[in-house]
Amino acid sequence: MKIFLPGSFAKIILIASLAISSQFAKAATSDGATNAPSVADKSWKELEKMMQPEMPPAEWAGHPTPEQRTSFRAKQGEKAAQAADKAKDFYTQYPSHPKAAEAKKREADLLQVAVQLGNTNKLMDFQKLQEERTKDPNLSEDERFKLRMEMVQTTVRAKMQQGQEAFAAELEKSGHDLIKEFPKRNEGYDILLEAAGQEDGTRARSLAKEVAAGNASDETKARAEGLLTKLDALGKPLPIKFTAVDGREVDLAKLTGKVVLVDFWATWCGPCVAEIPNVKDTYDKLHDKGFEIVGISFDKDKKTLEKFVADKEMRWPQYFDGKVWGNEYGQKYGINGIPAMWLVDKKGNLRDMNARGALEEKAAKLLQE
């Protein structure tokens, strides 16, 4: 499991708002009331209206500027917060109304949407409400876990806005809390491993060891061991040896005197494909000076890989085993996300695990050593 931000802001706004307003609409049509609407009924209708999703301005033509996206997102976050307050007012003022219980549930949904859209002022309100809901004695463990995970993911997203340190700390706290509350479930260990991936050195190693020694699944333990191997690999030789898809024999131990980019990638990975022009350009400029590339493909279909490499004129060898995220070297070195670009120096030692974004500059510098 990975803790990621949801999709584009438009998806958050439209999907969340449509889902909630749709549920409101279904509830409203089931009243069956024939008398004139009461004050409470009118208030309910106002709440429904507040939940109508606002479409992005037509003048954007599907291509808003970053400033427009930020402004629209903030506006929708505030709108969701106001609707949450309205829902709370409704069930507080009309506790015996048929819609009171639903309004209380919608308050939590709306607070979550508000926080997801950047309105972190509502984070504590959301956490408090979710905490109360998890204490319902009628909930099953799965229902309680679902509520807890909603709170964890929303809180983690909010902490991302406060910087890397706050994000990593929240992941670690959330992982430990989940393990304590749900010791038989694996998700807490997954989150703890995600926290380890955000840290460096001693702290990352400590968290990875904790996961590897805990009650995590075999798969999660394998990833933890891979991360430990990765952390220990820096500054040491990288034992990678294989027969490439085109029949070439590859052995990094025999490439001393060269600077080698080990590129973990896949044809289905958008960011990987976007990096190809830069990688090719660096290869063309520095190859004659001693720069080599070794591709580690996370593809599933060999023919797809071969055609892609040929079409893109990627002249360097490619490792392939068809296991996707179970890739042998990906598992061995704890690769949880691609593209991952590592640089090996002329002595055959791994020197850089983050060459993406400055590949030519970093490779050129190593070639001068």
Side-chain angles (χ1 to χ4, degrees), residues 40-54:
D41 291 334
K42 289 180 179 178
S43 181
W44 177 258
K45 290 295 184 182
E46 290 173 4
L47 180 56
E48 288 185 299
K49 186 176 181 179
M50 290 184 72
M51 272 310 306
Q52 292 300 316
E54 183 175 334

Side-chain angles (χ1 to χ4, degrees), residues 8-65:
S8 68
F9 79 101
K11 288 184 179 178
I12 297 173
I13 296 168
L14 296 180
I15 294 175
S17 298
L18 284 168
I20 296 171
S21 61
S22 173
Q23 292 172 27
F24 271 138
K26 289 179 182 177
T29 57
S30 63
D31 278 348
T34 56
N35 298 326
S38 65
V39 174
D41 291 334
K42 289 180 179 178
S43 181
W44 177 258
K45 290 295 184 182
E46 290 173 4
L47 180 56
E48 288 185 299
K49 186 176 181 179
M50 290 184 72
M51 272 310 306
Q52 292 300 316
E54 183 175 334
M55 301 299 290
E59 57 266 26
W60 287 7
H63 302 285
T65 65

Side-chain angles (χ1 to χ4, degrees), residues 277-308:
N278 178 51
V279 173
K280 286 183 64 178
D281 186 53
T282 302
Y283 184 82
D284 291 340
K285 290 179 179 179
L286 302 179
H287 180 61
D288 290 342
K289 298 178 181 180
F291 178 64
E292 299 287 351
I293 302 177
V294 171
I296 306 295
S297 170
F298 281 60
D299 280 281
K300 184 176 183 179
D301 184 77
K302 186 176 182 181
K303 290 184 178 180
T304 298
L305 173 63
E306 291 175 327
K307 184 178 185 305
F308 186 94

Side-chain angles (χ1 to χ4, degrees), residues 241-250 302 317-320 329:
K241 182 178 180 180
F242 62 88
T243 300
V245 292
D246 61 5
R248 277 182 283 181
E249 296 297 329
V250 177
K302 186 176 182 181
Q318 300 287 340
Y319 170 82
F320 171 84
Y329 289 111

Side-chain angles (χ1 to χ4, degrees), residues 78-259:
E78 184 59 34
K79 181 179 179 181
Q82 292 172 356
D85 291 340
K86 182 74 172 178
K88 183 176 182 178
D89 289 343
F90 180 87
Y91 70 74
T92 300
Q93 293 180 31
Y94 312 110
S96 59
H97 192 278
K99 302 300 183 187
E102 187 172 352
K104 190 166 187 177
K105 182 180 184 303
R106 297 306 157 218
E107 179 192 13
D109 294 335
L110 291 160
L111 287 172
Q112 183 177 19
V113 170
V115 176
Q116 288 175 340
L117 292 172
N119 192 340
T120 54
N121 292 330
K122 289 297 183 179
L123 177 59
M124 290 186 65
D125 290 342
F126 173 72
Q127 291 173 325
K128 181 179 179 180
L129 196 57
Q130 287 292 87
E131 196 67 49
E132 292 176 0
R133 294 173 72 190
T134 61
K135 294 177 181 179
D136 184 346
N138 296 315
L139 290 177
S140 67
E141 180 169 321
D142 285 345
E143 289 171 329
R144 188 162 55 88
F145 176 76
K146 181 180 178 182
L147 290 174
R148 182 65 69 191
M149 280 302 301
E150 287 176 357
M151 183 162 66
V152 166
Q153 293 190 8
T154 301
T155 302
V156 167
R157 291 185 187 110
K159 291 296 182 179
M160 286 188 73
Q161 301 178 42
Q162 299 177 20
Q164 179 70 18
E165 186 176 344
F167 174 54
E170 186 59 39
L171 281 173
E172 183 176 342
K173 177 182 180 300
S174 296
H176 281 133
D177 288 347
L178 278 175
I179 291 170
K180 182 178 180 180
E181 188 173 359
F182 302 95
K184 295 181 180 180
R185 301 194 68 116
N186 194 64
E187 286 84 352
Y189 289 102
D190 281 331
I191 294 175
L192 207 57
L193 188 56
E194 186 78 14
Q198 301 295 325
E199 299 282 6
D200 292 317
T202 303
R203 192 61 197 148
R205 189 172 283 104
S206 175
L207 290 173
K209 286 181 177 179
E210 181 180 345
V211 173
N215 294 320
S217 68
D218 290 342
E219 179 183 351
T220 300
K221 285 187 175 183
R223 290 196 292 117
E225 294 289 353
L227 178 56
L228 288 169
T229 300
K230 174 181 174 180
L231 292 169
D232 291 337
L234 197 61
K236 300 176 182 178
L238 205 59
I240 291 180
K241 182 178 180 180
F242 62 88
T243 300
V245 292
D246 61 5
R248 277 182 283 181
E249 296 297 329
V250 177
D251 186 350
L252 258 61
K254 296 181 179 180
L255 291 177
T256 52
K258 307 279 189 180
V259 170

